[in-house]
Amino acid sequence: MSGESPGESTTAAGSRLLPLYAAGFVTAFGAHSIAASLGGYTEAEHASLLTLGVLLAVYDGAEIVLKPIFGALADRVGPRPVLLGGLLAFAAASAAFVLAGNPALVGVARFGQGAAAAAFSPAAGAMVARLTPQAGHGKAYGGYGAWKGIGYTLGPVLGGVLITLGGYALLFGTLAALAVAVAAWAALAVPAVPPLPRARQTVLDLVRRLSTSGFVRPTLALAGATAALAVGVGFLPVAGAASGLGPLVTGAAVSVLAATAALVQPRAGRARDNGRIADGPGMATGLALAAAGMACGAVIPGAAGLLVSAVLVGVGTGLATPIAFAHLAASTPAERLGQTMGAAEVGREVGDAGGPLLVGAIAAAAGALGAGLIGLAVALGALAVAVLRATSSR
């Protein structure tokens, strides 16, 4: 019997999780610090908008293709080696860009970073579940999501500062050093989690498992929440500018959105663990709040509409995300956590890319950004209804 007190045990568990949270920060900060400055890069290089689109998509594209593969590998060999290898590969891809000294290779470096993130992101998600009692999954994933939210928030700001001070070489060098530091921290603080015995699985078995309510509901919630977050960050400043607001106000609104999501996630996770929020209604409510935020951004003019929209989207995404991850962990066999987290992360990436594409397409067709925001609000509302229906049918 252990001689640790409950407080000591909780502190020890928290120290093991912190490097995993930091890994989530690395992928979010790395993706957004570069993406936010690519417009200026393509302008300086006289590149086309198609080139900009490719550079923006290559990171997420690598993750969509490779996350399920690396997730399955984490189940086979254990998540810790995949986590450490992915972080070191991220550092290598970043350092290679610095050593090459050729700005034209930014797309290649970004693909390498995305491939590396596809390894350590699902491995970190699986380890959060393996190192946490099931009754604490909500709080643990709330913390993980909060750290990623901080990365999303700080990435564009600090990325711009680093590029201003030392160009892309300084940004990529900083990312390399950050990934190495997190890998060293994880190697020292995160214990080995051996792979669990697994029954043989056919393709049909995999399809059946990934088509169950326990996978589909939280994956839909993650996709919707990520779509709302991506649109909020990318399009709310455009809506504010159309109302005559300056960059200081619109930037503050985006910061409010990200900060709200980061603050809500741990609290939503704890409420879920304590039984105050049921999984299905919690995910549906989060999506509904995000839908309301999009609608407010479309119909309420000026700074008031921007602020209300940012708060509602932040609360909605902060509520749905940790509950969805905790539900995934609770409904997945422990020996298949990596594979499941990798597949669910694909849903997040689809939402991250699909949300802005949907809003942009509707806005272009209608000639008004408000129509695009309303379109996403309708889609999020439909997802909320689908999650609730799946809950009731279950």
Side-chain angles (χ1 to χ4, degrees), residues 284 287 380-391:
L287 292 173
L380 292 173
L383 286 178
V385 171
V387 169
L388 273 181
R389 283 184 175 176
T391 302

Side-chain angles (χ1 to χ4, degrees), residues 92-125:
S94 304
F97 176 83
V98 178
L99 295 175
N102 184 355
L105 295 177
V106 66
V108 177
R110 203 163 148 75
F111 178 83
Q113 289 177 329
F120 69 78
S121 184

Side-chain angles (χ1 to χ4, degrees), residues 100-286:
N102 184 355
L105 295 177
V106 66
V108 177
R110 203 163 148 75
F111 178 83
Q113 289 177 329
F120 69 78
S121 184
M127 290 195 78
V128 168
R130 291 283 302 273
L131 295 175
T132 308
Q134 186 168 336
H137 280 170
K139 178 183 177 183
Y141 280 112
Y144 182 67
W147 276 59
K148 292 192 77 168
I150 294 171
Y152 291 136
T153 304
L154 295 181
V157 177
L158 293 184
V161 170
L162 291 170
I163 291 173
T164 300
L165 293 177
Y168 276 87
L170 180 58
L171 173 57
F172 277 84
T174 300
L175 291 173
L178 177 63
V180 169
V182 173
W185 187 11
L188 293 173
V190 178
V193 179
L196 297 174
R198 298 175 301 150
R200 184 176 179 82
Q201 177 182 250
T202 66
V203 174
L204 183 58
D205 293 331
L206 175 62
V207 171
R208 285 173 177 166
R209 186 162 58 80
L210 298 186
S211 60
T212 63
S213 174
F215 177 82
V216 173
R217 283 194 301 155
T219 302
L220 287 176
L222 288 172
T226 307
L229 181 64
V231 168
V233 171
F235 283 94
L236 285 185
V238 179
S243 297
L245 302 176
L248 181 61
V249 176
T250 57
V254 172
S255 296
V256 167
L257 188 160
T260 301
L263 290 172
V264 167
Q265 287 199 54
R267 291 164 174 78
R270 283 196 296 270
R272 185 260 181 194
D273 293 339
N274 295 333
R276 297 198 303 271
I277 300 177
D279 289 357
M283 290 185 287
T285 300

Side-chain angles (χ1 to χ4, degrees), residues 15-88:
S15 66
R16 294 195 297 265
L17 294 178
L18 284 176
L20 304 178
Y21 294 172
F25 174 86
V26 169
T27 183
F29 179 79
H32 280 233
S33 61
I34 299 171
S37 59
L38 284 175
Y41 166 81
T42 53
E43 183 177 348
E45 297 294 320
H46 305 290
S48 66
L49 289 177
L50 176 60
T51 300
L52 174 60
V54 171
L55 292 176
L56 287 170
V58 68
Y59 189 103
D60 291 332
E63 289 192 297
I64 288 173
V65 173
L66 296 175
K67 273 184 174 180
I69 298 173
F70 282 119
L73 179 64
D75 291 333
R76 182 178 296 275
V77 304
R80 189 172 183 268
V82 178
L83 171 77
L84 298 178
L87 285 167
L88 293 177

